[in-house]
Every structure is written in C-alpha cells, then in structure tokens.
C-alpha cells in the first residue's frame, strides 16, 4: 500500500493523559485555607515590636553622651593643680665628737635634762626560814609640865616604864613649854616614835606611862613624862617563814627591767614637740625601798634623760658630715636607729653639774633628706601663670627641691589656682628598699 506523506510527520501515538494525571491528588492533600486579613489592632502591635529596639538605642546613646557632657563640664570648671616634686637627698658617713652644753643657745649643740620616776613592787613567796630578832616600835606623847620654856631631847633619849623596860626616841624632838599658870596650866606636848631597847615580845605594850631616867636627881624628872599614843608592837625572837635571798634578788632584777622599759616609754611619751631622746642618753638609778623583814620587794627607778632639739641636731650633724644644706631644713632618715650616740662620761649627778657633755655621733651611709616648707611653696605658687620661667623662679627659692613641676586642670587654664588648698602635692623622693 502506498505510504501517505502526512503519515511521515505525524507524531507517534502516545497514551492519552488525563487532567487527573497532572494535578495533585486532591483526595490525599487539601489546600491550606488563606489566613484572614490582620485587624488594625494587630497591625499596631506588630509595628511597636519592630520599633522597640530602635527606641532603646536612642535612649542609650543619649545617656552616654550626657555622661560625657557632665564629665567634660566638671573637668572644665573644676580648678586643680598637682605639684610633683623630688627633694634632694645626700648620703654621707658620720664620726664626730661634739661638746654639747645644757640650755646654751649660743653653743654649737645644746641639750636639756629631764627626770621621771616610777615605783614597782612584787610579793615574793616565803619558801625559806630564818631566825629573826625584832624590836617593838610605837608612838608616845611626851609632856613638859616643868616650865614655859621649850625642852630639846636628843635622839636616843631613854624612856622607862614602871617595870623597867627601856625605849628610845628615834629622832631628836623639842617639847613645847607649859602654857598658863597654876591649876589652869596646860603642859606642852609632842609626839615621838620610840623603839624598844632590846628585841622580844616582852617589850610589846598596849599602854603605859614613861619617865626619863636621864632626869633622875633633877626637878625635871617628875615634870617631864611620856604616855603611849599607839600600842608598841612588833617585838619578836624566833624562826619565821621568809623569802629566800636568791628569790629577793631575782625579784629585784625583774622589777628593774620592768622599770627600765616603763621609764623609757614614759619619757618618750612625754617628750616636748620636736625633741628626741636616744636610749644611750637615758640613765636610770634604782633604789630599794623594801620594808624590812617583809616578803615584798619595792624598787624605785629615776630616769635622767638628755634631750636634743631634732632640727638643731640634724643641722649640726649634716654640717659635721660635710653635707651642704644651703639653708634648707634637713632630716636624717630613721635617725634614732641609724645614728649611734656615745656619751664619753657617764650621766651622773656629778657630770650633769658641769653643764656640758662630750658626745660622739657615729653613722654609716646616713641619708640626709632635705626639707621643703610645702605650705609656703603652695602659697607662692598660687595664682602664678604656668609659664616655665615663672614656676622655676618660685622653685629656686627652695634649695631643698631637686626637681619639680606643676600640672594644672583644665589644661587651657594657664595659671595655678588662687586657692592653695586646690594644689595637691605628690612627693616622689626615692625611698630605699627595706633590707631583706
């Protein structure tokens, strides 16, 4: 059969596709419903949530700028100056002897003498035994019914009791004369301490009358007499518990050490302003005031101290060490620890009566630190322009300054504040490191 032309261009036959083959299976998947349009209220809330971060950023930036503005205004309108300085320091050895004079303002070095006292006591346990003999002691009243004239009785004048016991007065006394005449006359009287002539309890008395054996055969014998004012007691012979001698001596040494520390502390606490006391310039004398026969030790210490005016002493020592101060005040760093003071003669009543002392001062590598009157310096700087030549001229009047500068706030002010209280001082003077 002949082939037709249109059969050659006819597409091959295909299977027929239905619409259901192209579209998704609606039986399995449903279309999502469209959301309703937003209401006006919902649109406003969404708008605010979107704008909130921008709103807080604005406030944060405003706050930061405000802080900077306040800080700048405070800086600009608060006057202040900082004075930074370094004082001169010189190091030099010292070994010199100076003749110092007491209270002599014209001497190279003068000193003043001070004294202070203190008493310490301690009970000592009675761990030993000793044989003792004690005499009775008491007070009597002596009467003069002889005449209107005074009568002197010497030390150790005897007084006798009716049973023959003898007692002696401890010191001489003057018995006043009788007053008045006749029946209205009143005998003169005086009290006196008496001690039994011998030890023992038999001399203890509660009360008694006395005569004066030395007046026997004299009209005064019956007109002068005595009578107990207090009981006469303490007479004893026997063995008693007492503190051992070695314990007594140990207690004395302990009290003396305590007295030394306390007297030095007291003297230093009572120093006048600007005065110094070296321990080698303090002499302490000890006196025993322990009651006789008691187990109690009493010690009295008396400190005699040599004081120097600190500024005068450091000036003299700087000159002796060859340090040129140029009129500036000077101090010695840790002077009480670094300067050794030797008194070439002991500090005694005799040596002090000479009103002069030979004293040796020794020190190794002493640091002499120059002083600066900071209050005067601030007053001189107040109101000055911050021109270097002007400021340096002020500094030149203070020879204790090694280096100094002034910084003013605000920096464009151009002059130091008029009020010296607004000038802060920073001292940059080097301090040596402590030795390990």
């Amino acid at each position: 059969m002949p082939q037709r032309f249109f059969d050659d261009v006819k597409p091959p036959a295909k299977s027929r596709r239905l619409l259901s083959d192209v579209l998704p299976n609606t039986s399995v998947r449903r279309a999502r419903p469209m959301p309703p349009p937003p209401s006006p209220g919902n649109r406003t809330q969404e708008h605010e949530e979107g704008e909130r971060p921008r709103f807080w950023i604005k406030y944060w930036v405003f706050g930061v700028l405000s802080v900077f503005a306040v800080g700048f205004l405070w800086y600009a309108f608060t006057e202040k100056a900082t004075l930074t300085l370094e004082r001169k320091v010189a190091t030099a050895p010292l070994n010199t002897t100076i003749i110092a004079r007491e209270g002599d303002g014209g001497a190279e070095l003068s000193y003043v003498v001070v004294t202070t006292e203190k008493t310490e006591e301690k009970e000592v346990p009675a761990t030993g035994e000793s044989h003792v003999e004690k005499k009775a002691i008491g007070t009597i009243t002596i009467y003069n019914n002889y005449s209107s004239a005074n009568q002197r009785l010497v030390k150790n004048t005897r007084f006798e009791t009716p049973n023959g016991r003898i007692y002696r007065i401890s010191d001489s006394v003057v018995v006043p004369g009788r007053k008045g005449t006749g029946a209205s006359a009143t005998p003169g009287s005086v009290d006196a301490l008496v001690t039994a002539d011998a030890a023992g309890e038999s001399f203890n008395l509660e009360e008694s009358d006395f005569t004066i054996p030395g007046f026997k055969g004299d009209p005064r014998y019956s007109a002068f007499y005595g009578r107990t004012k207090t009981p006469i007691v303490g007479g004893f012979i026997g063995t008693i518990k007492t503190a051992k001698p070695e314990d007594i001596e140990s207690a004395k040494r302990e009290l003396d050490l305590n007295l030394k520390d306390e007297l030095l502390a007291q003297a230093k606490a009572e120093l006048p302003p600007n005065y110094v006391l070296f321990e080698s310039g303090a002499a302490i004398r000890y006196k025993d005031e322990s009651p006789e026969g008691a187990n109690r030790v009493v010690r009295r210490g008396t400190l005699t101290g040599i004081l120097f005016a600190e500024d005068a002493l450091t000036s003299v020592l700087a000159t002796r060490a060859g340090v040129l101060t140029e009129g500036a005040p000077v101090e010695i760093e840790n002077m009480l620890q670094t300067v050794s003071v030797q008194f070439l003669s002991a500090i005694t009543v005799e040596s002090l009566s000479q009103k002069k002392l030979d004293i040796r001062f020794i020190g190794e590598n002493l640091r002499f630190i120059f002083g600066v009157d900071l209050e005067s310096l601030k007053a001189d700087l107040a109101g000055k322009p911050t021109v270097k030549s002007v400021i340096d001229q002020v500094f030149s009047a203070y020879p204790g300054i090694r280096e100094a500068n002034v910084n003013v706030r605000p920096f464009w002010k151009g002059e130091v504040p008029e009020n010296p209280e607004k000038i802060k001082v920073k001292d940059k003077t080097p301090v040596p490191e402590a030795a390990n």
Side-chain angles (χ1 to χ4, degrees):
M1 177 183 295
Q3 187 178 9
R4 288 182 296 181
F5 173 77
F6 287 101
D7 290 339
D8 294 334
V9 298
K10 184 180 179 179
K14 293 182 180 179
S15 61
R16 180 176 297 179
R17 299 177 65 187
L18 302 177
L19 181 63
S20 61
D21 294 332
V22 177
L23 296 177
N25 189 353
T26 57
S27 63
V28 178
R29 194 173 181 184
R30 294 182 179 179
R32 181 181 299 175
M34 296 294 290
S39 64
N42 289 341
R43 285 198 300 269
T44 303
Q45 183 178 358
E46 291 176 359
H47 176 75
E48 289 179 354
E49 289 177 353
E51 293 293 328
R52 187 172 297 165
R54 295 183 182 179
F55 176 79
W56 285 111
I57 289 174
K58 292 178 181 178
Y59 271 92
W60 185 84
V61 172
F62 177 77
V64 171
L65 293 177
S66 298
V67 170
F68 276 105
V70 171
F72 176 79
L73 291 174
W74 177 81
Y75 174 83
F77 292 100
T78 303
E79 285 189 328
K80 182 179 178 181
T82 300
L83 168 61
T84 305
L85 61 83
E86 179 182 335
R87 294 181 286 167
K88 291 180 181 177
V89 177
T91 303
L94 177 70
N95 190 338
T96 187
T97 300
I98 301 174
I99 299 177
R101 300 185 182 276
E102 182 182 355
D104 186 354
E108 180 183 14
L109 181 64
S110 64
Y111 63 88
V112 295
V113 180
V114 297
T115 60
T116 185
E117 289 186 339
K118 192 173 181 63
T119 300
E120 289 280 334
E121 60 180 66
K122 180 180 182 180
E123 292 288 337
V124 182
T127 58
E129 291 184 347
S130 62
H131 178 79
V132 297
E133 295 185 1
K134 293 183 177 181
K135 296 179 179 181
I137 298 175
T139 302
I140 66 171
T141 301
I142 306 170
Y143 295 93
N144 176 3
N145 199 28
Y146 178 71
S147 70
S148 61
N150 295 341
Q151 175 67 53
R152 183 180 182 82
L153 300 177
V154 298
K155 180 181 179 180
N156 289 328
T157 295
R158 294 175 298 155
F159 283 77
E160 186 178 14
T161 64
N163 63 356
R165 300 295 184 188
I166 298 295
Y167 300 81
R168 298 175 184 270
I169 59 175
S170 302
D171 296 290
S172 62
V173 295
V174 175
V175 187
R178 181 180 58 191
K179 295 180 180 179
T181 58
S184 63
T186 303
S189 65
V190 67
D191 294 338
L193 186 68
V194 295
T195 303
D197 209 30
E201 295 180 7
S202 61
F203 283 84
N204 295 337
L205 290 175
E206 284 298 322
E207 59 180 23
S208 179
D209 291 333
F210 302 86
T211 58
I212 301 177
F215 285 164
K216 277 186 179 180
D218 188 290
R220 293 175 294 179
Y221 181 73
S222 59
F224 280 88
Y225 57 94
R227 186 164 292 154
T228 51
K229 183 176 183 179
T230 67
I232 300 175
V233 295
F236 179 80
I237 297 177
T239 300
I240 61 172
K241 284 284 187 180
T242 60
K244 294 180 180 179
E246 56 268 30
D247 294 338
I248 295 289
E249 292 303 315
S250 176
K252 288 180 180 179
R253 290 191 296 270
E254 179 184 343
L255 291 178
D256 289 352
L257 288 174
N258 291 342
L259 281 171
K260 178 183 178 181
D261 293 340
E262 292 176 6
L263 284 169
L264 282 171
Q266 181 175 327
K268 292 176 181 178
E270 297 174 353
L271 282 176
N274 194 40
Y275 274 81
V276 293
L277 169 67
F278 293 88
E279 287 196 16
S280 59
I284 303 176
R285 298 190 308 277
Y286 303 98
K287 182 181 178 182
D288 188 59
E289 297 182 349
S290 305
E292 185 179 356
N295 297 326
R296 182 164 55 96
V297 177
V298 180
R299 300 285 283 177
R300 177 180 293 275
T302 303
L303 179 145
T304 302
I306 307 300
L307 307 186
F308 301 98
E310 185 174 7
D311 52 357
L313 176 60
T314 53
S315 178
V316 171
L317 296 184
T319 301
R320 288 296 188 101
V323 176
L324 300 178
T325 63
E326 304 177 47
V330 66
E331 64 182 54
I332 299 175
E333 188 175 61
N334 299 324
M335 180 171 63
L336 294 178
Q337 288 74 41
T338 57
V339 177
S340 171
V341 181
Q342 301 175 2
F343 290 80
L344 303 186
S345 57
I347 301 174
T348 62
V349 174
E350 293 75 18
S351 65
L352 292 178
S353 66
Q354 302 298 318
K355 304 292 184 180
K356 69 172 185 176
L357 294 169
D358 292 345
I359 310 172
R360 178 175 295 162
F361 296 89
I362 302 173
E364 182 179 354
N365 295 327
L366 300 179
R367 292 186 84 234
F368 295 86
I369 303 175
F370 288 59
V372 177
D373 187 341
L374 295 178
E375 295 304 317
S376 296
L377 177 56
K378 290 196 295 183
D380 290 344
L381 287 171
K384 294 290 191 299
T386 54
V387 179
K388 188 176 186 303
S389 59
V390 175
I391 299 298
D392 287 347
Q393 185 177 2
V394 174
F395 291 152
S396 65
Y398 294 84
I401 295 178
R402 179 181 177 274
E403 184 178 356
N405 62 75
V406 178
N407 291 320
V408 176
R409 191 184 71 187
F411 62 87
W412 61 80
K413 183 69 177 178
E415 67 178 26
V416 182
E418 291 281 353
N419 186 357
E421 296 298 323
K422 294 185 177 182
I423 303 175
K424 180 182 178 182
V425 179
K426 290 184 178 180
D427 191 344
K428 297 293 185 179
T429 305
V431 177
E433 296 182 359
N436 295 328

